[in-house]
Amino acid sequence: HPSWTEKLAAVLQLLGSEHVLSFSNRGGMDELSFDSSSQAVELLSGHIRSYVLETSGWGYPRAGYRELSGGGPSENARIIRAILQGGKGPRRDAAVLNAAAALYVAGKAASIREGLPLAEEAIDSGRALKKLELLIAASGK
């Protein structure tokens, strides 16, 4: 919810976080998408700023809740595997966008937009799937 984005960043700042992004997608989703803009709150270098993140001109087709929604745990696991095994479509695009945001926060990309090709390459090379398999093995599931 938009009212929580700044509060979340402030709490994470108090807990010692250095770089945080908190989003409220205007389409009602709890993640970034290419369907609508997002209210973004960013903590960086001790400062919190709020802005609108508009992704419509980034070269990806629009996709909303209907195209992106998942299901229960087993359905969501199937979706993730399909994406990481090279599946294309709006769910992959959303995964790439959200991974690009994580790469930006981690300091691996200068911006979310510049993180997009890095996220795509991680999926296309199979590295992301290998990391998922390592996580599954480590968790015993």
Side-chain angles (χ1 to χ4, degrees):
H1 191 273
S3 67
W4 287 99
T5 54
E6 194 163 325
K7 292 173 188 171
L8 179 60
V11 167
L12 290 170
Q13 182 180 30
L14 290 172
L15 293 172
S17 295
E18 296 177 10
H19 195 180
V20 170
L21 284 172
S22 178
F23 298 103
S24 178
N25 180 279
R26 295 201 171 152
M29 292 182 281
D30 60 354
E31 62 185 77
L32 295 174
S33 78
F34 290 108
D35 183 48
S36 60
S37 61
S38 294
Q39 178 63 37
V41 175
E42 183 171 4
L43 163 65
L44 180 60
S45 302
H47 301 285
I48 295 176
R49 70 181 181 109
S50 181
Y51 56 94
V52 174
L53 180 66
E54 181 58 62
T55 58
S56 64
W58 290 10
Y60 291 80
R62 292 176 58 108
Y65 182 81
R66 188 176 319 123
E67 296 90 0
L68 299 176
S69 64
S74 60
E75 173 67 7
N76 291 342
R78 186 196 65 72
I79 291 168
I80 291 168
R81 280 198 174 276
I83 290 168
L84 298 184
Q85 290 171 340
K88 304 288 186 194
R91 289 176 172 156
R92 174 199 159 97
D93 296 344
V96 165
L97 178 58
N98 285 275
L103 289 166
Y104 168 59
V105 169
K108 303 294 183 185
S111 67
I112 296 171
R113 192 168 185 172
E114 289 184 23
L116 293 169
L118 300 174
E120 289 178 343
E121 196 276 328
I123 293 171
D124 294 342
S125 69
R127 286 193 339 267
L129 180 59
K130 287 179 184 170
K131 291 294 183 185
L132 174 63
E133 291 168 350
L134 287 171
L135 177 63
I136 292 168
S139 70
K141 296 190 177 201

